[in-house]
Amino acid sequence: EADNAMDQDDDGTNGEGTDAYSFDIVLSDPGLPVGTGDGLLAEYFSDENKGGTSWRRRDVTVNHAWGSAAPFAGPAADHFSAVWTGELEVRFDSDYTFRLVVDDGARLWLNDVLVIDGWNGSRAELAAAPIALTRGRHTVRLEYVERTGNAEIEWQWSCPFFATQTVPQSQLYSGLAEVEFVATPTASPAGGTV
């Protein structure tokens, strides 16, 4: 027909012995299934140097905008610190970009390698160069310090398979058994955790 983008001969070809239509085939990495993570182990401290009284709980994500308030009943609104540890499960063999939106300072380690160091900063958006990771679990340690004013931290990631987003609970593993979960953090003697 005259409406076709390519004219076809009676044999279904374009007159040169080849098919009249072509298709682009895009293959994608199916990756691992979405994880079943429970979040990260969070330890909050009553001073900026990860000391003093501490509280332990599980945080399902690292996405906190406390503003001028304390993170919960326990630490003060200023001059506290926190450490999140556990494992990050990546679904695809790919280059990942990690970002921290933070007020005041933070550091991020993946597989015991420091990839973002913004400890001495103030309000900032910090990003690491793309990091090649293989599918599976990787150790993570994220440290945070609140000095004065507003308090905020969000851990984000992106890769060619998805846009920038908060690292979801499904991909974070705390290593805590259910019996260890502390829903409401409880103070312990200086330097200890419960």
Side-chain angles (χ1 to χ4, degrees):
E1 292 180 8
D3 292 340
N4 285 349
M6 298 180 110
D7 291 330
Q8 290 185 350
D9 289 343
D10 290 338
D11 65 355
T13 66
N14 63 5
E16 297 174 10
T18 60
D19 290 335
Y21 300 98
S22 64
F23 299 93
D24 290 329
I25 298 174
V26 179
L27 299 176
S28 64
D29 182 348
L32 295 173
V34 172
T36 58
D38 62 342
L40 295 174
L41 168 62
E43 294 182 87
Y44 291 82
F45 301 90
S46 63
D47 72 25
E48 296 177 18
N49 298 309
K50 301 178 292 299
T53 303
S54 64
W55 298 263
R56 179 178 167 176
R57 70 181 190 181
R58 180 181 310 148
D59 282 355
V60 294
T61 63
V62 181
N63 185 7
H64 304 289
W66 297 295
S68 60
F72 49 83
D78 290 322
H79 307 290
F80 70 89
S81 55
V83 177
W84 292 271
T85 56
E87 293 180 321
L88 167 70
E89 183 177 44
V90 298
R91 296 180 56 213
F92 308 100
D93 292 341
S94 187
D95 288 342
Y96 290 80
T97 299
F98 294 93
R99 297 171 43 94
L100 296 173
V101 178
V102 63
D103 188 349
D104 287 312
R107 294 186 278 228
L108 174 65
W109 285 263
L110 290 172
N111 296 324
D112 299 319
V113 175
L114 182 64
V115 296
I116 297 178
D117 187 359
W119 193 252
N120 294 317
S122 58
R123 172 77 170 103
E125 292 187 19
L126 310 166
I131 300 165
L133 294 175
T134 56
R135 68 184 79 197
R137 292 191 188 183
H138 302 269
T139 60
V140 61
R141 179 180 179 89
L142 175 55
E143 296 182 349
Y144 170 75
V145 62
E146 163 56 15
R147 294 180 183 93
T148 61
N150 287 331
E152 171 185 15
I153 184 166
E154 181 182 5
W155 181 26
Q156 302 173 341
W157 66 344
S158 63
C159 79
F161 295 96
F162 55 83
T164 300
Q165 60 180 287
T166 301
V167 178
Q169 174 185 347
S170 62
Q171 303 311 120
L172 300 172
Y173 296 82
S174 70
L176 291 174
E178 282 301 315
V179 296
E180 294 181 81
F181 178 63
V182 179
T184 303
T186 305
S188 66
T193 58
V194 289

